[in-house]
Amino acid sequence: MNNYLIPANSKKSQMILGLFTPGDLIVFLTGIAITVALLIAFKSNNLATLLGFASPALLGTFLVAPVPNYHNVMTLMGNAINFATGQKKYYWRGWCASYDSNRPKHDGSSTI
């Protein structure tokens, strides 16, 4: 019996800390760094101002948060944008193993 079982978390071992791709980590750490810099540079006791300063970290955390069936929110948003702006009309080329774009297109009319 040659049954192979692939574990559900096999891709996690390829990520940084099992959670982040390099792009995710850049987005997350940039948001955290901007928030820390704002909090150090400006002193405020106003709650609205503090939430404004924390918004880069909150946004970065939201973008890298995991979503079921997707890696994270950035992946989900990218797929949604590609679907909304992508090609909507698909052309059937038949059951071809390869496609030669230089071949003349057959319009269905007979030349006999």
Side-chain angles (χ1 to χ4, degrees):
M1 278 180 87
N2 290 329
N3 294 333
Y4 296 102
L5 180 63
I6 299 172
N9 61 354
S10 64
K11 291 285 185 183
K12 281 188 145 192
S13 65
Q14 299 173 357
M15 296 182 185
I16 301 168
L17 300 176
L19 295 172
F20 302 107
T21 63
D24 297 339
L25 196 58
I26 290 169
V27 167
F28 182 66
L29 292 178
T30 301
I32 298 293
I34 291 171
T35 296
V36 168
L38 287 172
L39 290 174
I40 290 172
F42 302 103
K43 184 177 181 180
S44 175
N45 292 334
N46 187 358
L47 181 62
T49 306
L50 291 175
L51 286 176
F53 290 162
S55 62
L58 295 173
L59 181 64
T61 303
F62 171 74
L63 289 174
V64 298
V67 176
N69 300 324
Y70 291 91
H71 170 64
N72 58 23
V73 176
M74 279 195 301
T75 305
L76 175 63
M77 287 175 28
N79 288 342
I81 290 169
N82 285 340
F83 177 77
T85 61
Q87 181 180 3
K88 298 289 190 253
K89 190 172 185 179
Y90 299 101
Y91 298 99
W92 174 254
R93 293 188 178 138
W95 297 102
C96 301
S98 64
Y99 176 70
D100 183 12
S101 61
N102 295 327
R103 278 178 56 188
K105 292 186 175 148
H106 182 63
D107 61 357
S109 62
S110 176
T111 58
I112 298 178

